[in-house]
Amino acid sequence: MTLRSTIQDLRACADVANDEHRVKVRTGQFAELSARLAPALEELPALNIALSEVAQLDVDLPDGREQDAAQVADGLRALAAELPTLGIDQNLDLAKERVRSAEKYTNQLRAFVAGTWQTYVSQPPPAINGDLIDALAQGGVDVEAIRDELETARGHLLAITSRLIPDRGAVQKYRDAIESIHRCGEQIGKVVDADIAEGIVESQEPSGVPLTWFTPERLEKLRALGILDRFQVRLR
């Protein structure tokens, strides 16, 4: 083997080693970009749905936000398909910038929809006196249907408001749950008026209610409820 052939062989080996190194570097770059793309690709569809939900609320959306969301999602899918086809010598600066831009947009969109949603669902629901419902039930008033509807509505409300961002239909589900709770309050008012309800609650306290509370009008209302015979007079 001549010196020249030896040098040529060494150069060939060096070129192969260099090519292998470049392939490894480029493979690592592809893997990094793909790993950074994956979370945004997975999250953006849910964020787009959340954006369409909060758009139904009385809030100002940034101009073009809905259109931007769709474009970013399409661009990310195109970039994910394009990465494996890039040549080993092709510059990745543009691809890296597109990934950074998508990450920034996704973070901003998440913050916007989550903040808007949490502000909306943090408003207190209609106040319903659970103790009153229990007292009415103990007093013999049939309120089980109201209690069941109230517990169901509160369960739905808890499930909806516990989400960081709304899923599809969440705004309407939230409004339906609030309306159901409000309706329960109205139904309680129809079953028994506030004056009679107060007397029923007080009658279950150790001190009870004074006999003078039982006016003819109140006695008639208790009789209409079918619970008059549940009251007893205690001498002290």
Side-chain angles (χ1 to χ4, degrees):
M1 179 179 294
T2 65
L3 178 59
R4 176 175 295 181
S5 63
T6 300
I7 293 174
Q8 290 175 343
D9 289 343
L10 289 174
R11 286 177 176 173
C13 291
D15 289 340
V16 171
N18 184 52
D19 288 343
E20 290 179 350
H21 175 70
R22 291 167 61 199
V23 169
K24 289 180 180 179
V25 170
R26 180 50 59 97
T27 301
Q29 291 172 333
F30 284 161
E32 178 188 357
L33 289 176
S34 296
R36 290 171 59 186
L37 273 175
L41 279 171
E42 182 178 354
E43 189 177 8
L44 269 176
L47 289 177
N48 287 340
I49 291 174
L51 182 61
S52 67
E53 288 295 314
V54 300
Q56 302 175 46
L57 309 179
D58 188 19
V59 296
D60 294 328
L61 295 181
D63 292 338
R65 177 66 71 178
E66 289 183 283
Q67 183 178 0
D68 289 346
Q71 290 176 345
V72 170
D74 290 342
L76 285 182
R77 283 189 287 269
L79 180 58
E82 179 184 342
L83 279 178
T85 67
L86 296 179
I88 192 172
D89 295 321
Q90 193 164 344
N91 193 304
L92 292 181
D93 289 346
L94 178 58
K96 292 178 180 178
E97 179 57 33
R98 289 169 65 185
V99 171
R100 281 193 295 268
S101 177
E103 288 175 329
K104 179 180 179 181
Y105 176 84
T106 302
N107 291 335
Q108 291 176 338
L109 181 58
R110 184 193 311 110
F112 174 76
V113 296
T116 303
W117 175 246
Q118 293 303 315
T119 298
Y120 179 69
V121 299
S122 63
Q123 55 187 317
I128 301 292
N129 191 333
D131 292 338
L132 172 59
I133 295 178
D134 292 339
L136 292 175
Q138 293 173 9
V141 180
D142 184 8
V143 291
E144 285 309 305
I146 299 175
R147 191 205 302 270
D148 290 344
E149 182 178 354
L150 179 60
E151 290 179 352
T152 298
R154 283 175 170 170
H156 290 166
L157 193 63
L158 179 61
I160 296 166
T161 57
S162 63
R163 295 183 59 88
L164 179 62
I165 63 173
D167 57 359
R168 193 178 302 281
V171 170
Q172 187 58 50
K173 292 176 184 176
Y174 176 85
R175 290 170 175 168
D176 290 344
I178 292 294
E179 175 58 28
S180 182
I181 294 174
H182 179 72
R183 186 167 56 249
C184 288
E186 291 181 336
Q187 290 174 351
I188 293 173
K190 292 178 181 178
V191 170
V192 57
D193 62 38
D195 176 59
I196 296 299
E198 183 179 358
I200 293 174
V201 172
E202 290 183 5
S203 69
Q204 297 178 39
E205 298 293 332
S207 59
V209 291
L211 190 60
T212 54
W213 182 84
F214 293 90
T215 63
E217 182 181 0
R218 286 169 173 161
L219 288 173
E220 183 59 33
K221 290 181 179 180
L222 293 173
R223 185 178 293 106
L225 289 171
I227 61 172
L228 180 59
D229 59 352
R230 297 178 67 92
F231 290 85
Q232 298 178 352
V233 177
R234 294 180 181 176
L235 299 177
R236 296 181 179 178

